[in-house]
Amino acid sequence: MSERASGAATPDIDAFTRPYWDAAAEGRLLLRRCRACARPHHYPREFCPYCWSEDVGWEEASGRATLYSWSIVHRNDLPPFDARVPYAAAVVDLAEGPRMMTEIVDYEESGLGVGMELRVAFRRGEGTEMVPVFRPAFQPSSGAG
């Protein structure tokens, strides 16, 4: 039984995904890694999407990523996104290999670029869960001196 209603802005939390969300609440990003072929994957699944083995487990990710693609969303009429526009919807390449859909926060739009280094951060979701998002690894200098 899930803790959130369908159609929520974040996935349902169930017994299988509970470790992922618990780690996020502690500021840690988890991935799944196959013990048969050693490949990591994200989003969390109960089997390896490469070799179909069910011998997979959780491991902590470094939190480092690079920007693969993004789009600045200026209009979204669906709650809760309508209150956050504009926002940067993105796909990032995690240092461990998998790609992940996410949001970029604390950015200058003109500073976004393919390959830019990012670090994981966490934002409160629509319930009690913390949602992984990413921010630039290096913030622009303010010029103050």
Side-chain angles (χ1 to χ4, degrees):
M1 184 109 186
S2 73
E3 297 177 12
R4 310 222 39 232
S6 294
T10 55
D12 287 343
I13 299 173
D14 58 22
F16 171 69
T17 61
R18 167 63 52 204
Y20 178 85
W21 295 108
D22 287 350
E26 298 169 358
R28 299 180 302 119
L29 177 64
L30 295 185
L31 298 174
R32 299 282 282 174
R33 183 174 298 272
C34 179
R35 293 182 188 107
C37 72
R39 293 179 73 178
H41 60 272
H42 187 78
Y43 66 94
R45 297 170 210 149
E46 296 186 54
F47 61 90
C48 175
Y50 303 106
C51 74
W52 300 99
S53 172
E54 293 180 5
D55 188 11
V56 293
W58 295 104
E59 75 175 35
E60 188 169 346
S62 66
R64 295 179 296 114
T66 56
L67 186 56
Y68 176 77
S69 179
W70 77 96
S71 179
I72 305 298
V73 178
H74 292 278
R75 182 178 175 141
N76 187 334
D77 295 332
L78 299 174
F81 306 105
D82 57 343
R84 291 203 308 254
V85 293
Y87 62 89
V91 176
V92 301
D93 287 327
L94 299 175
E96 293 77 10
R99 281 201 173 131
M100 178 179 177
M101 292 184 68
T102 188
E103 182 180 340
I104 307 299
V105 297
D106 301 332
Y107 64 93
E108 294 289 331
E109 188 172 343
S110 63
L112 294 177
V114 171
M116 109 182 272
E117 293 183 40
L118 305 167
R119 296 291 180 268
V120 73
F122 293 87
R123 180 189 70 227
R124 176 124 356 250
E126 299 311 304
T128 60
E129 74 284 338
M130 297 299 283
V131 177
V133 295
F134 284 80
R135 64 172 35 107
F138 306 104
Q139 296 294 330
S141 173
S142 65

